[in-house]
Structure formats: C-alpha cells, structure tokens
Amino acid sequence: MTVRDDHALAAELATDAGGRLAALRAGRGFADPSALRKEGDTASHLFLMEALSRLRPDDSVLSEEATSEERLDPRRLRADRVWIVDPLDGTREFAEEGREDWAVHVALWERGTLTAGAVALPAQGRTLSTLEPPVTPAPRPGARPRIAVSRTRPPEFVRALAELAGADLVPIGSAGAKISAVLTGQVEAYVHAGGQYEWDSAAPVAVALASGAHASRIDGSPLAYNQPDPSLPDILVSLPGLAPTLLAGIRDLHR
C-alpha cells in the first residue's frame, strides 16, 4: 500500500460515487426531493462503505451516514488510518434541479494528519484531489475579494467581516463546493462559523492544503480530525495571501 495508492483510491471512489449519484438524480427526477435526498445519501454511503471495507479492510471509517454507535466506536480513535467520508455533501442542492454545488468527499486521516483526499463535483464534471492537486489561483490585483457563504444561513459576523475587508459575499451550496470554489478561482475565501462536522471539510481541506491554500479554524488554530466528538464548528479556507487580513478582521470582530 503506497501513498499514491491512497490518493488514487480517494479520487476514484469520490468520482465513482458521484457518477452514481448523478445517474440516480437523472433517472429519478425532482418530483419528490425528500425521497431523492434520502436515496442518494443511503446509496452513496453503502457504496463507499462496501468499497473501503473491501479495499482497505484494516482501516476505520467515519461517515456522515454512520449510526451514532458507529461514530462513537472507540476503535476509530485508536486507529492509525481513518477514512472520513461525506457520501453526499449538499443534499439540498442535490435535490434541486439545475444546481451544481453538491459533492462527494473522501479523505484519509493518518496519525493526526490528512494525507489524501478528493472532492467530486459530479454536476460540474470534475474531481479535485490530492492525486494531482490544483494550482492555487493567483490573486486578482485591485479586485474586491469574494467570500463564499451559505446559501441559506450565512453567519452575521461574515457579513461584518466582508464589510471590514471590502469583500463581496458569494452564496454557494455545499461546503465542498465552497472550498472547491476557492481552489478554482471562483472566490478567494470561505468563512463559516455556523457549525459543521469533520466529514463536511476533511476531504476539501486535504485538497486545499495540498494545493498550498490556507485552512484553519477562524481563530487561526489548526483543524483537527478524528476526534471523539466529530463536530468542527468553524473554518477558514482562503488564498494564502488573504488569510492574515481575514484572521485579523475576525479577531477585531470578536473583541
């Protein structure tokens, strides 16, 4: 088992799961969004769990769709290798016709570090991964920075931060789609403080770090994964040159 094997596996599994979800979406249609969301979550989870059980039988898995008992299994906390997956990131967007901002996340955590990851964006026809990390976009001289925020519940402090930093807010669906937007040049940053879990960010953060982007908690401390409590309430991902300005602004707003 080589490091490259893990990068390739993450990319392959995320892409395959995403393709299955896209086919399900096209076949089922959007007449019953609730049923579509439920079937998509379940089908993608079962596919990823079966594949990882077969291909990496000695590794642990933390999935959004796991039961409470599975998430609390102490063997995960003792494991050296844990796959952190979100079978369908952005279920709301997945069940809305025409939306492309949903994703599949597959990440590998090893002994305290995210070592591999992939974010499939099936409706956009691409997968970003640590196998071939995207090149961090160059800054846009003189242009106002753009900050990705939740479509439905952008934190109030992010509005204040945007005003302080002279930035524009760009609503985007799933967390994976927001972080991917930083890496593809659609925005310069993503700031969130409304509550998330490890599976919401592990894979896109793995790709962001491999690309040279900044990723941290909003106080600048490192993001920690495979914790007893998988909640991870806030995050900042940005182009590296913008991070100091945003962190300073966040500190000013929280004084």
Side-chain angles (χ1 to χ4, degrees):
M1 188 185 302
T2 67
V3 172
R4 183 173 176 82
D5 287 338
D6 291 328
H7 294 313
L9 180 60
E12 290 164 6
L13 291 182
T15 302
D16 198 349
R20 291 165 181 259
L21 285 167
L24 173 64
R25 194 182 192 225
R28 244 193 183 279
F30 302 90
D32 188 343
S34 179
L36 179 59
R37 289 193 292 266
K38 183 176 181 180
E39 187 172 349
D41 271 333
T42 301
S44 187
H45 170 72
L46 291 175
F47 166 74
L48 291 171
M49 293 298 289
E50 186 281 328
L52 288 169
S53 176
R54 175 168 42 85
L55 298 169
R56 295 292 190 269
D58 297 328
D59 296 351
S60 291
V61 181
L62 173 62
S63 169
E64 179 184 17
E65 298 305 313
T67 64
S68 297
E69 292 76 12
E70 289 169 334
R71 292 178 188 171
L72 295 173
D73 188 340
R75 290 175 295 182
R76 170 174 68 83
L77 302 177
R78 297 193 299 265
D80 288 335
R81 291 167 50 92
V82 180
W83 293 89
I84 303 175
V85 303
D86 190 340
L88 175 50
D89 179 51
T91 52
R92 179 194 298 267
E93 289 74 24
F94 173 72
E96 292 183 22
E97 187 171 6
R99 295 215 66 92
E100 298 183 345
D101 45 352
W102 53 277
V104 176
H105 299 178
V106 178
L108 176 62
W109 173 97
E110 291 187 272
R111 304 177 189 88
T113 303
L114 294 172
T115 54
V119 180
L121 300 158
Q124 299 178 32
R126 60 185 168 191
T127 296
L128 306 182
S129 82
T130 55
L131 179 62
E132 295 180 356
V135 176
T136 303
R140 302 180 304 150
R144 288 169 62 90
R146 299 161 296 181
I147 301 175
V149 293
S150 170
R151 291 174 58 209
T152 56
R153 52 187 188 283
E156 282 303 317
F157 96 90
V158 179
R159 298 184 188 278
L161 176 63
E163 184 174 344
L164 190 65
D168 297 320
L169 299 181
V170 180
I172 299 176
S174 79
K178 293 184 186 77
I179 296 173
S180 296
V182 176
L183 305 181
T184 56
Q186 298 168 262
V187 298
E188 283 68 50
Y190 167 45
V191 184
H192 181 76
Q196 285 186 346
Y197 292 90
E198 292 183 14
W199 45 79
D200 291 311
S201 66
V205 163
V207 180
L209 292 173
S211 301
H214 172 92
S216 71
R217 301 285 300 272
I218 61 171
D219 63 0
S221 61
L223 294 159
Y225 294 91
N226 195 37
Q227 301 299 297
D229 178 358
S231 64
L232 193 55
D234 57 71
I235 188 171
L236 164 65
V237 178
S238 74
L239 299 185
L242 183 59
T245 298
L246 295 177
L247 289 168
I250 292 168
R251 285 194 295 271
D252 289 343
L253 290 170
H254 282 81
R255 283 178 180 169

